[in-house]
Amino acid sequence: MFSRPVPIPGLSAAVAAAAQATSFAEIFSARRCRRSVARARQLAVYLHHVALGASVSGCARAFARDRATIRHACATIEDLRDDPSFDAGARRLETALAAKRDMICDLLTQGSAR
C-alpha cells in the first residue's frame, strides 16, 4: 500500500518552521507575511520538493500557491545554497527530513501488514 515514499507537507513545514523560528500556522497562511516567514515558507516548499520528492504541482497544491511561486521559492533557496553555511544547514535538514519520511512510511507499512 505504501510502497513509494509519500510527500507529507506538514513534515517539511514543521522542519522549516523550527529551523527558521517561526510558527507552523504562518507557513500555511494565505496572506503575505514578514520576510522571515516568507523565507521559512520557501524553505518548506523547497524541502517538500527536493527532500520529499513532491512535484512542483504537488507542492503548489500542498501549500496553496501557484506553480510559479513554487519555482521561485525553490530557485531562491538554491541561490542561498551558494553560501556554504546555509548549504550545510539545508543538507542536514534534507537528510533528517528524508529519514523521518522513511521512518513514517515504514511504520505505515508495518501497520497495514497486520
Side-chain angles (χ1 to χ4, degrees):
M1 178 177 188
F2 297 102
S3 60
R4 194 178 134 214
V6 180
I8 306 166
L11 195 56
S12 57
V15 167
Q20 297 291 310
T22 192
S23 80
F24 179 83
E26 286 181 303
I27 299 283
F28 289 101
S29 172
R31 296 190 292 164
R32 292 179 65 91
C33 300
R34 299 181 317 275
R35 183 181 183 133
S36 61
V37 174
R39 179 72 72 230
R41 184 180 299 131
Q42 290 169 336
L43 181 59
V45 166
Y46 176 84
L47 291 170
H48 191 62
H49 179 57
V50 173
L52 299 182
S55 67
V56 170
S57 294
C59 290
R61 283 189 299 276
F63 289 90
R65 300 293 191 271
D66 63 38
R67 291 185 317 229
T69 301
I70 300 304
R71 286 190 298 274
H72 173 75
C74 291
T76 298
I77 298 300
E78 282 293 336
D79 288 347
L80 289 171
R81 290 194 75 166
D82 290 341
D83 172 13
S85 176
F86 186 90
D87 184 59
R91 191 175 324 110
R92 285 192 302 271
L93 291 174
E94 283 179 42
T95 301
L97 190 55
K100 188 67 77 174
R101 179 214 47 219
D102 293 345
M103 181 193 72
I104 290 169
C105 288
D106 287 347
L107 289 171
L108 292 172
T109 300
Q110 290 171 8
S112 68
R114 292 182 186 172

